[in-house]
Amino acid sequence: MRETERESTTLVAESTPSLNLIFDLLSNRCRRYVLYYLYDQPDGVATIEDVADHVVVLEMQETGADTEVSADERSHDVRVELQHVHLPKLEDAGIIELDRRSETVRYWTQPSLEEWLEHAKHKELS
């Protein structure tokens, strides 16, 4: 049912990433959190700020809230890390399209990635 709902609103990437690339992308917790969030968006589009906020929420749930660093400070740090490390890596892999002008990210449907992403999400966040 999920695939049927997404077919009409989501564009599929032109090439299928290799299994090595998929595991490399999913090997980093921050990138997994980004992909979980984008995959759950009805149109696969979100602002970088929304993605960063989501990553911070999941990190705080995973590690427990750090009283020394506020959520706003952590969100800023995550946003910088996303813009300079993780989003460019996902874009280079053809998984997302990053629009720096509008500060939005568009996820390109990747069935081979989603198979592993759903499994990782289930194991990590359940």
Side-chain angles (χ1 to χ4, degrees):
M1 186 164 129
R2 177 126 172 90
E3 291 82 17
T4 308
E5 292 171 3
R6 294 181 63 88
E7 283 179 326
S8 62
T9 61
T10 307
L11 299 175
V12 178
E14 292 179 18
S15 64
T16 302
S18 71
L19 194 56
N20 285 340
L21 178 58
I22 289 170
F23 286 132
D24 180 46
L25 295 174
L26 295 178
S27 70
N28 180 275
R29 181 175 57 190
C30 185
R31 284 194 297 271
R32 286 193 307 274
Y33 290 172
V34 168
L35 291 170
Y36 298 157
Y37 184 72
L38 291 173
Y39 181 65
D40 287 340
Q41 300 309 301
D43 58 359
V45 177
T47 65
I48 294 172
E49 183 177 348
D50 288 344
V51 173
D53 290 344
H54 177 75
V55 169
V56 169
V57 167
L58 290 180
E59 282 181 349
M60 292 179 129
Q61 289 174 354
E62 178 83 16
T63 61
D66 185 358
T67 57
E68 295 178 23
V69 180
S70 73
D72 288 339
E73 290 173 25
R74 184 63 190 138
S75 185
H76 176 268
D77 293 345
V78 167
R79 185 177 173 149
V80 169
E81 186 178 351
L82 289 175
Q83 289 178 311
H84 293 283
V85 179
H86 301 298
L87 296 179
K89 184 166 184 138
L90 290 168
E91 184 176 42
D92 289 346
I95 306 298
I96 65 162
E97 180 181 339
L98 178 59
D99 185 342
R100 288 172 176 81
R101 188 175 51 87
S102 66
E103 295 193 344
T104 58
V105 180
R106 174 181 295 278
Y107 170 75
W108 297 101
T109 297
Q110 284 289 348
S112 58
L113 170 71
E114 290 165 6
E115 175 182 348
W116 296 103
L117 184 66
E118 288 177 353
H119 182 71
K121 184 177 181 181
H122 174 73
K123 291 292 188 182
E124 188 166 33
L125 301 180
S126 294

